[in-house]
């Protein structure tokens, strides 16, 4: 959990719970250090809270809601199309989400739950790696005289 606290960005707006990431990181001693200090009461309190959430299988109502804020993209402020909505979520809920995501990713990698070709949402697997694999696959099939079909999807527009 300390790693999740260290990874939070400072200076972000709080969600419905009003907790600032900067204050949480500072209270947990996660600023400017790589180690969890002894007897850190903030981290202990979060561990108790997160364990309660796991054991009771409840998700606090405040973590389920967010504040939708229109963020100006540019051009005229009078045109509603020049805004994109962002949702300000609970900082504590985000920390728990990060902890869960890291545990699931670690478990999925350890039991080989993904095909080797799966690149999205995996650590140390980026677009350049997938482009290289696709290029090698095309060249290999071309050398063997086999046809290759490909589909491209623009995920930003989907």
């Amino acid at each position: 959990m300390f790693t999740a606290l260290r990874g939070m960005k400072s200076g972000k707006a709080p969600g419905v719970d009003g907790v600032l990431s900067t204050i949480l990181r500072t209270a947990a001693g996660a600023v400017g250090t790589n180690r969890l200090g002894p007897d850190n009461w903030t981290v202990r309190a979060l561990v108790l809270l997160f364990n309660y959430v796991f054991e009771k299988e409840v998700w606090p109502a405040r973590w389920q809601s967010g504040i939708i804020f229109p963020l100006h993209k540019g051009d005229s402020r009078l045109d509603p199309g020049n805004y994109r909505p962002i949702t300000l979520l609970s900082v504590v809920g985000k920390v728990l989400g990060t902890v869960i995501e890291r545990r699931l990713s670690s478990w999925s990698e350890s039991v080989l739950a993904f095909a080797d070709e799966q690149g999205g949402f995996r650590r140390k697997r980026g677009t350049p790696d997938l482009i290289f694999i696709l290029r090698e696959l095309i060249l290999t099939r071309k050398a063997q005289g086999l046809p290759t079909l490909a589909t491209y999807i623009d995920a930003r527009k989907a």
Side-chain angles (χ1 to χ4, degrees):
M1 176 184 6
F2 186 70
T3 307
L5 288 167
R6 282 190 56 232
M8 290 173 36
K9 294 181 182 178
S10 296
K12 298 292 182 176
V16 176
D17 59 3
V19 177
L20 291 168
S21 60
T22 306
I23 292 175
L24 191 60
R25 286 183 69 215
T26 303
V31 178
T33 181
N34 291 336
R35 295 185 186 176
L36 176 62
D39 293 330
N40 188 305
W41 293 103
T42 303
V43 173
R44 281 187 181 189
L46 289 173
V47 167
L48 284 173
L49 175 63
F50 294 171
N51 285 338
Y52 180 84
V53 169
F54 281 126
E55 289 168 13
K56 300 297 182 183
E57 298 179 3
V58 295
W59 193 261
R62 287 206 164 190
W63 295 0
Q64 296 176 23
S65 58
I67 301 168
I68 299 174
F69 181 81
L71 188 65
H72 185 250
K73 295 188 296 188
D75 291 335
S76 172
R77 292 189 180 269
L78 299 175
D79 182 6
N82 291 333
Y83 290 86
R84 71 176 173 91
I86 60 169
T87 305
L88 305 176
L89 301 170
S90 164
V91 171
V92 179
K94 284 190 212 177
V95 172
L96 180 56
T98 300
V99 170
I100 292 170
E101 184 274 327
R102 289 196 177 153
R103 285 183 182 181
L104 283 174
S105 293
S106 175
W107 174 82
S108 299
E109 292 291 340
S110 69
V111 299
L112 304 173
F114 297 118
D116 203 33
E117 296 81 13
Q118 168 71 35
F121 305 104
R122 291 179 75 184
R123 284 184 174 77
K124 299 180 182 175
R125 296 194 184 232
T127 304
D129 301 321
L130 297 175
I131 291 172
F132 174 76
I133 291 170
L134 178 62
R135 181 181 181 276
E136 290 301 309
L137 180 68
I138 291 170
L139 291 175
T140 301
R141 291 184 60 84
K142 185 176 181 180
Q144 294 173 350
L146 299 171
T148 303
L149 305 173
T151 302
Y152 295 91
I153 298 173
D154 186 353
R156 289 176 293 160
K157 306 285 183 185

